Amino acid sequence: MELMEYQGLVLAYFLILTAIFVSMHQKAGLEKQLFYGSIRAFVQLMVMGYLLLFIFNLKEFHYLILTLLIMAVVSGQMSAKRGEGVPDAFRIATGGIIIGSSVSLGILVAFGIIETEPRFIIPLGGMIVGNSMYASSLSLNRISSELKARRMEIEVALSLGATSRQAADRSLRETVKSAMIPSIDSMRTVGLIHLPGMMSGLLLAGASPIEAVKFQLIVVYMLTSAVSITCMCVSLFAYRKFFTKNHQLVFISSPDLSNRKGRMSKSQK
Amino acid sequence: MDEKIIIENVCQEKGVKILDNISAKVYDGEIFSIFGPSGSGKTTLLRLINRLDEKTSGHIYLDGVDIDEMDVITLRRRVGMVFQLPALLPGKVYQNILFGPGLFDRSKRDDTALALRYLKLVGLDEELLDRDGETLSVGQQQRVSIARALANEPGVILMDEPTSALDLTATLKIEELIKRLNRELKVTIVIVTHNIEQAVRVSDRSMLIVRGRKIEEGKTKDMLKNPKEELTEEFISGHLEEVR
């Protein structure tokens, strides 16, 4: 099905020209940015389109898995940047994203809700990985600030015979809560405040509204599941990095954290 | 008297030397103070005894057993700790007191009778039991934190400058409480203080630490009257002047 000819695309570029006209008329000085922005969007999306075309043609299942893994690793890297101060942030984030994504995508596939075709797996996988990345970043960021802020409380608990896990309990709870709130909120407002892009896309492509809604619901549930599993895994992996096996709280500033040492000496060079 | 804690050639280093070859003995049932100027490593030494921190070398024995051979959770239940600030956990007073016992026996989490016993032991009113910890005065909070440490029935309590956040009246009252608990419960107390007068008021024996090194150990009153070391004399006179 050919939805659009390139001819249409070129004509649509007149829309950008109207924006450039507005900018000139209002002396906003955004003409350059608008022009480059529109070209950039064109190039990026075309590249993405051909990439997807290539991936969709790889019918083999293991290529699909490989593609998803690459997405997870790249987003793990992005997320780790948010977790500065958490030792091993990259591995923690990537691990959490992979677990969260594969469980929720796995359930969808295992129950036969979606087929293992690239045209389902890749876009849904991308959404899952992206949302998991967001959850992982929030969790990494929050867990280290929670542990730092509750340092006294944690040491009191340890001194009373709590394990690291028990002492970090409240920090973990707060972390998971704060990382999940955005997806709960978006679940509550979906359809009220915004029509999700995917649903709009289905409607444009000619699906009936009920079909589109059903699919959107699957996506919302899937993302909520992925987000919750990811933030649970990430915070459970991350908090351990702040404790020794003898249930001692170690601080990030402490020079005996080997990781930190390596990073410090690198930056000093 | 039996030795409750033996500290043997303990060193700690974190980039810099914090404790340098400290040895000392704390006898069963006594109040032992570790005093010295701030930054001398007193708190670090205290934290090594319940293994909130790890020493670099040396040994610490509790009732004759090397603490490195013990399960760290068991160790901490036997050696309670009171921190400089009360640091009450979020929640009610009774929940604070029952935190330790509740970790090992869920049924004790709401055992208000047990909580009340410890609340009374530290001289607080029954009506505080159900109050939010934050609504108490700092002095009352510190008493709750002492009750919380006692509720695990430890043989030793470590106290890290427990009165530094308090005014003089509250300080003297807490000191009385410390002495009474030591007498009534026969609990061994190790108290860290930078205030030599407090050391004299509460402790039987003391150790002076300066810049991570032990200067002198002995009966607190003897150390004050007849210091054996020049540094002890210096610290005592300097400190006394500072106070005046």
Side-chain angles (χ1 to χ4, degrees):
Chain A
M1 180 175 63
E2 193 74 20
L3 273 178
M4 242 179 249
E5 301 290 339
Y6 279 103
Q7 199 185 345
L9 192 58
V10 173
L11 290 175
Y13 198 77
F14 272 106
L15 295 169
I16 290 295
L17 295 183
T18 62
I20 289 177
F21 170 75
V22 169
S23 167
M24 277 161 71
H25 189 261
Q26 298 293 317
K27 301 191 171 56
L30 295 172
E31 301 85 349
K32 238 187 192 174
Q33 290 185 39
L34 277 167
F35 176 70
Y36 286 125
S38 62
I39 299 297
R40 196 188 157 125
F42 177 83
V43 173
Q44 278 175 359
L45 285 176
M46 286 312 273
V47 168
M48 174 53 94
Y50 279 104
L51 198 66
L52 284 178
L53 195 64
F54 172 73
I55 293 169
F56 282 14
N57 283 331
L58 302 169
K59 298 279 182 210
E60 317 248 356
F61 191 61
H62 58 261
Y63 283 122
L64 274 183
I65 301 288
L66 186 69
T67 313
L68 290 176
L69 271 180
I70 292 171
M71 287 188 205
V73 171
V74 171
S75 51
Q77 219 154 13
M78 299 280 280
S79 179
K81 283 185 194 153
R82 296 266 157 229
E84 250 185 288
V86 180
D88 270 344
F90 169 63
R91 265 192 283 174
I92 291 170
T94 311
I97 292 168
I98 288 177
I99 295 173
S101 308
S102 38
V103 169
S104 51
L105 201 56
I107 288 174
L108 288 180
V109 170
F111 287 174
I113 302 167
I114 58 165
E115 291 161 56
T116 54
E117 270 181 51
R119 69 190 182 96
F120 287 113
I121 299 287
I122 297 298
L124 291 181
M127 275 191 255
I128 291 185
V129 169
N131 278 267
S132 296
M133 173 184 80
Y134 192 52
S136 157
S137 303
L138 283 175
S139 309
L140 279 176
N141 199 304
R142 189 63 185 255
I143 190 76
S144 66
S145 60
E146 278 288 332
L147 292 174
K148 265 187 247 173
R150 295 180 188 276
R151 168 190 165 170
M152 271 305 298
E153 192 183 313
I154 290 167
E155 290 217 309
V156 164
L158 291 175
S159 81
L160 290 166
T163 59
S164 315
R165 175 72 176 77
Q166 289 166 326
D169 196 53
R170 203 178 297 268
S171 308
L172 285 169
R173 224 184 307 157
E174 289 303 320
T175 301
V176 170
K177 238 200 237 171
S178 72
M180 282 187 65
I181 280 173
S183 44
I184 294 173
D185 281 352
S186 88
M187 193 156 57
R188 283 204 305 223
T189 56
V190 71
L192 288 179
I193 296 174
H194 64 284
L195 264 194
M198 196 213 62
M199 204 176 122
S200 316
L202 278 174
L203 291 172
L204 281 172
S208 88
I210 300 303
E211 281 302 302
V213 163
K214 276 189 205 155
F215 215 79
Q216 184 61 46
L217 277 174
I218 292 175
V219 168
V220 168
Y221 296 157
M222 162 192 93
L223 292 183
T224 309
S225 138
V227 161
S228 58
I229 294 167
T230 303
C231 61
M232 187 184 75
C233 290
V234 167
S235 37
L236 281 177
F237 296 156
Y239 95 89
R240 281 165 214 268
K241 301 289 173 186
F242 293 87
F243 290 90
T244 67
K245 66 179 194 318
N246 286 321
H247 308 289
Q248 293 152 333
L249 182 61
V250 261
F251 299 110
I252 311 134
S253 57
S254 163
D256 55 6
L257 261 185
S258 50
N259 239 50
R260 180 75 182 173
K261 234 184 209 168
R263 197 187 306 156
M264 266 162 47
S265 57
K266 250 181 239 162
S267 64
Q268 273 158 9
K269 279 170 203 166
Chain B
M1 264 204 295
D2 291 336
E3 291 137 347
K4 190 73 178 172
I5 302 169
I6 301 173
I7 299 167
E8 203 178 83
N9 308 112
V10 165
C11 298
Q12 206 214 22
E13 259 186 81
K14 275 185 181 175
V16 287
K17 216 165 210 164
I18 297 167
L19 289 172
D20 187 7
N21 206 23
I22 304 264
S23 297
K25 281 175 183 164
V26 178
Y27 294 104
D28 196 8
E30 74 172 348
I31 302 183
F32 184 84
S33 73
I34 302 171
F35 69 92
S38 44
S40 56
K42 311 181 292 285
T43 297
T44 305
L45 180 59
L46 203 66
R47 290 166 59 89
L48 296 181
I49 300 175
N50 68 348
R51 292 188 74 188
L52 276 183
D53 273 334
E54 209 62 74
K55 55 193 175 306
T56 314
S57 65
H59 294 277
I60 296 175
Y61 301 90
L62 175 71
D63 293 321
V65 182
D66 192 328
I67 60 166
D68 293 343
E69 311 284 316
M70 293 168 64
D71 170 53
V72 69
I73 304 286
T74 315
L75 169 71
R76 288 181 191 155
R77 298 198 68 196
R78 289 173 58 186
V79 181
M81 186 156 188
V82 173
F83 293 80
Q84 199 165 359
L85 297 170
L88 292 193
L89 306 167
K92 310 269 186 212
V93 166
Y94 79 88
Q95 289 171 322
N96 265 276
I97 298 176
L98 298 175
F99 183 86
L103 285 172
F104 303 92
D105 181 351
R106 279 180 162 270
S107 68
K108 286 194 174 152
R109 286 185 187 179
D110 301 302
D111 189 346
T112 44
L114 183 70
L116 185 60
R117 205 166 80 216
Y118 286 102
L119 193 74
K120 283 187 170 159
L121 196 60
V122 296
L124 289 176
D125 232 34
E126 184 174 351
E127 58 113 8
L128 294 184
L129 206 57
D130 218 21
R131 284 259 293 271
D132 210 358
E134 285 175 10
T135 62
L136 272 57
S137 74
V138 187
Q140 287 173 325
Q141 287 188 20
Q142 194 58 299
R143 279 172 195 261
V144 172
S145 83
I146 293 172
R148 183 174 63 187
L150 287 171
N152 270 342
E153 299 183 13
V156 179
I157 292 198
L158 310 172
M159 295 187 165
D160 184 12
E161 310 229 17
T163 61
S164 65
L166 306 179
D167 62 31
L168 187 63
T169 323
T171 298
L172 294 176
K173 279 187 187 161
I174 293 279
E175 287 177 1
E176 281 312 310
L177 173 66
I178 293 170
K179 284 195 276 190
R180 182 166 61 79
L181 292 174
N182 168 256
R183 223 170 32 235
E184 285 177 7
L185 303 176
K186 312 265 180 270
V187 58
T188 307
I189 293 174
V190 182
I191 178 168
V192 158
T193 176
H194 62 271
N195 182 337
I196 187 161
E197 286 153 330
Q198 180 165 64
V200 175
R201 282 196 299 265
V202 300
S203 66
D204 309 303
R205 293 187 329 110
S206 290
M207 158 163 72
L208 170 64
I209 299 186
V210 177
R211 269 176 250 112
R213 306 185 98 146
K214 173 172 138 180
I215 307 302
E216 200 174 328
E217 175 189 347
K219 286 216 162 94
T220 315
K221 287 189 178 104
D222 293 349
M223 276 172 74
L224 195 66
K225 273 185 210 151
N226 310 305
K228 287 195 209 91
E229 304 290 327
E230 215 173 299
L231 262 173
T232 313
E233 216 176 319
E234 241 175 68
F235 179 74
I236 291 168
S237 59
H239 187 85
L240 288 180
E241 265 164 34
E242 196 181 296
V243 168
R244 273 176 205 141

